[in-house]
């Protein structure tokens, strides 16, 4: 298994990225990593030569504030574009990890790797923790605004294949809506409901966003604008709750401070559960190879988690499974 | 000041509703309350006669599972319809509180009280707490799915008038979007952005839902489908965090349990901050009188808070201010 990593993408590149790659090959003996970027900056972090790490020279870097399409077109020697071209060209590479600009990674993957035939729009699938100790996939969590019903059907198909690749048997697919009854929703979700209900997936119908982290569903299907809203509301609410708790502790006198001291490991564990940085990245599914977008501020632990996740998804043949499902859909509903 | 209260609406009607009315007249000496509902059930809770409480006889009740429009049409003797008709007809009544079916309250208010001329669609404005100790209005938080840009402009106008009525000077209005840059958004929010930017409001532009509870904005403008998603994601995330914390405490041994014991008041205070039940209701703004939807499970404290909020909004002449702003809009942008 060989994963290519954009060594220059992200706030902490290249040091944390390269460290993450080293952690990943340490953790998985069958894994090889290809790093794209500036050899002079990567080599010192590697601290020696490993036959399981290869460097692809790339001198340019795409910054977070560049226009994605223009950057991908105009910087053929950037670490991201070099990585994407190798991903497309090389059969020995199963997927890619980048902590660079989300727009550039998505646009680049679309332009350079290409989408799976039959998938109308690739989507960004985020992995969130649930209170039952599992995960829920939020798909799409930001790649596509202004979706059509068929896009949501494809998000459901891809999210389900992703959940299966993560080891979930017969994943429960829910459609995020403003109420659970079948008639609830906006024009988009009402039409999408009918399509997904006919798709042969294990569709549990409409689900309120209140239920997202409850563990009741494995895949939450949503338009990318709304998925982004939901994801960032989760994040903002968590930040706010910890801020309120801190305020209450500060005005709560000795008793509260003592309590906080004793409760610190428990509070830390909850923060850890919610930490993007520890939970790998979001997968851009629907392109011909596995593309994992790590958080821009990712440190080595997160990069390592992302690399291992790409390897696991490749092992489970997520791309092949999406293609099979697309073929079934075409046969079943003539799409 | 006289507020009419649907005494039979809600899970805890009529007992908690009537108790809430009694608490409200106790708290505000200038306040009178009109209760609509079954006299035989209301009278015992009143426990004596107050000249500041009037009862309007209404024998029927609209249940939560009834079709809103049909229920409003077919149950002229329901506590809600009787209340709405009195609200429309009587100049001495400034507003209404109901903890009944949201659909019935909204549909009923629209049909029986009528919308303000120039407002395309009334909206449900929810009041959320912020980490800086203030509030943010989420407008629309669920009344209108499939909005047009002009609807969002009107949500901004009404939300701003609401924030002013709550005592905020020059309220900061933000448009919920998937990024802060001006070009971000979906087709709906991009067009709405241009309209709101031209409206003369204190518009701070696009705001991510991550910022909702930060205290950076006073009014968050959003389509009702998305507002519902955001509201319920806040709720679900809060529930999940407390659930994770409980799990961490349970596996954290003696130390964690001791910490939880000492920290209990602080944890309770955060839960209290987030409690719907204590924070009054959501105002249905854009109809000709003030209509406050209390939470279905509201107890007396919440009903009391809702009644007092209606009185405060009437005191601040929120309806008059919305009308003035609509006139300015018409003159300015020819809408």
């Amino acid at each position: 298994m060989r994963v290519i990593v954009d060594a220059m993408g992200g706030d902490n590149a290249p040091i944390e990225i390269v460290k993450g790659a080293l952690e990943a090959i340490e953790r998985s003996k069958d894994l090889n990593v290809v790093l794209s970027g500036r050899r002079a900056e990567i080599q010192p972090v590697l601290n020696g030569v490993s036959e399981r790490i290869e460097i692809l020279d790339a001198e340019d870097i795409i910054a977070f504030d560049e226009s994605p399409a223009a950057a991908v077109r105009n910087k053929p020697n950037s670490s991201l574009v070099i990585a994407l071209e190798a991903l497309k060209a090389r059969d020995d590479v199963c997927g890619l990890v980048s902590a660079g600009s989300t727009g550039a990674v998505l646009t680049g993957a679309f332009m350079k790797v290409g989408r799976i035939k039959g998938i109308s729009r690739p989507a960004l699938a985020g992995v969130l923790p649930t209170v039952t100790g599992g995960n829920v996939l939020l798909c799409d969590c930001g790649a596509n605004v202004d979706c059509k019903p068929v896009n949501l059907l494809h998000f459901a198909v891809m999210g389900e294949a992703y959940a299966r690749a993560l080891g979930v048997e017969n994943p429960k697919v829910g459609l995020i809506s403003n109420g659970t009854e079948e008639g609830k929703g906006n024009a988009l979700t009402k039409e999408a409901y009918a399509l997904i209900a006919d798709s042969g997936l294990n569709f549990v119908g409409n689900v309120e966003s209140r239920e997202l982290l409850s563990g009741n569903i494995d895949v939450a299907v949503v338009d990318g604008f709304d998925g982004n809203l939901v994801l960032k509301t989760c994040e903002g609410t968590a930040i706010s709750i910890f801020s309120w708790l801190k305020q209450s502790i500060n005005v709560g006198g000795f008793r509260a401070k003592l309590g906080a001291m004793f409760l610190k490991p428990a509070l830390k564990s909850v923060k850890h559960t919610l930490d993007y940085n520890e939970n790998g990245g979001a997968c851009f599914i629907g392109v011909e190879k596995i593309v994992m977008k790590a958080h821009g501020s990712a440190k080595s632990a997160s990069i390592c988690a992302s690399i291992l996740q790409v390897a696991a998804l490749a092992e489970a043949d997520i791309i092949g499974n999406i293609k099979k499902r697309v073929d079934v859909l075409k046969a079943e509903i003539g799409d």
Side-chain angles (χ1 to χ4, degrees), chain A:
Chain A
M1 204 68 78
R2 199 179 302 268
V3 177
I4 188 161
V5 178
D6 170 9
M8 312 307 286
D11 301 337
N12 304 306
I15 295 179
E16 291 290 329
I17 313 295
V18 177
K19 278 188 183 168
L22 288 170
E23 285 172 35
I25 60 166
E26 178 68 31
R27 292 262 293 274
S28 168
K29 296 300 169 199
D30 304 325
L31 190 70
N32 294 281
V33 171
V34 183
L35 295 168
S36 75
R38 294 177 180 159
R39 187 176 294 265
E41 294 180 37
I42 294 170
Q43 204 82 66
V45 191
L46 286 179
N47 197 16
V49 183
S50 162
E51 56 181 24
R52 291 166 57 205
I53 293 200
E54 176 190 339
I55 300 177
L56 278 186
D57 291 293
E59 282 309 306
D60 267 353
I61 295 173
I62 294 179
F64 279 97
D65 56 0
E66 291 184 66
S67 152
V72 170
R73 252 193 312 267
N74 301 332
K75 286 190 166 173
N77 292 317
S78 60
S79 59
L80 177 64
V81 174
I82 293 281
L84 287 166
E85 285 178 345
L87 179 67
K88 169 79 175 177
R90 285 171 61 167
D91 287 337
D92 65 327
V93 175
C94 64
L96 169 142
V97 172
S98 175
S101 146
T102 306
V105 173
L106 269 48
T107 308
F110 194 89
M111 288 164 63
K112 298 290 178 186
V113 183
R115 66 186 161 88
I116 293 173
K117 216 182 144 197
I119 291 294
S120 51
R121 289 206 206 166
L124 202 57
V127 181
L128 298 172
T130 67
V131 295
T132 51
N135 290 302
V136 58
L137 293 170
L138 188 67
C139 184
D140 175 23
C141 71
N144 304 284
V145 297
D146 297 315
C147 290
K148 295 196 178 76
V150 69
N151 303 142
L152 268 62
L153 168 64
H154 292 157
F155 300 166
V157 165
M158 296 188 294
E160 201 248 10
Y162 191 174
R164 279 187 194 276
L166 293 177
V168 182
E169 262 180 70
N170 201 20
K172 287 193 284 292
V173 178
L175 179 63
I176 296 286
S177 189
N178 61 335
T180 52
E181 304 89 336
E182 185 174 340
K184 282 280 183 178
N186 58 17
L188 170 67
T189 66
K190 282 179 190 171
E191 276 193 58
Y193 187 106
L195 293 179
I196 302 171
D198 272 352
S199 67
L201 296 173
N202 182 10
F203 182 49
V204 300
N206 286 329
V207 172
E208 292 193 348
S209 55
R210 193 200 320 253
E211 295 291 310
L212 183 66
L213 309 179
S214 67
N216 295 343
I217 51 165
D218 303 299
V219 180
V221 176
V222 66
D223 158 281
F225 183 85
D226 291 345
N228 184 280
L229 254 56
V230 165
L231 189 67
K232 286 177 179 161
T233 305
C234 285
E235 201 187 343
T237 308
I239 291 169
S240 303
I241 287 177
F242 283 105
S243 165
W244 276 312
L245 202 52
K246 213 171 169 182
Q247 290 171 27
S248 292
I249 290 166
N250 284 339
V251 301
F254 180 68
R255 180 187 159 144
K257 284 185 187 66
L258 199 68
M261 204 179 76
F262 282 121
L263 204 53
K264 211 172 184 180
L267 290 170
K268 260 191 139 168
S269 132
V270 172
K271 270 198 167 167
H272 174 89
T273 304
L274 288 165
D275 192 349
Y276 275 68
N277 219 16
E278 313 260 355
N279 294 321
C283 191
F284 187 52
I285 41 178
V287 286
E288 278 280 358
K289 287 215 170 159
I290 301 161
V291 173
M292 189 69 71
K293 167 67 182 82
H295 204 269
S297 62
K299 298 211 168 164
S300 64
S302 172
I303 297 298
C304 169
S306 295
I307 295 171
L308 296 176
Q309 212 183 344
V310 168
L313 292 175
E315 185 72 36
D317 190 23
I318 182 174
I319 306 287
N321 286 328
I322 291 173
K323 289 181 178 175
K324 270 183 224 151
R325 176 63 80 172
V326 169
D327 289 340
V328 174
L329 266 189
K330 277 184 196 157
E332 269 178 7
I333 63 171
D335 176 62

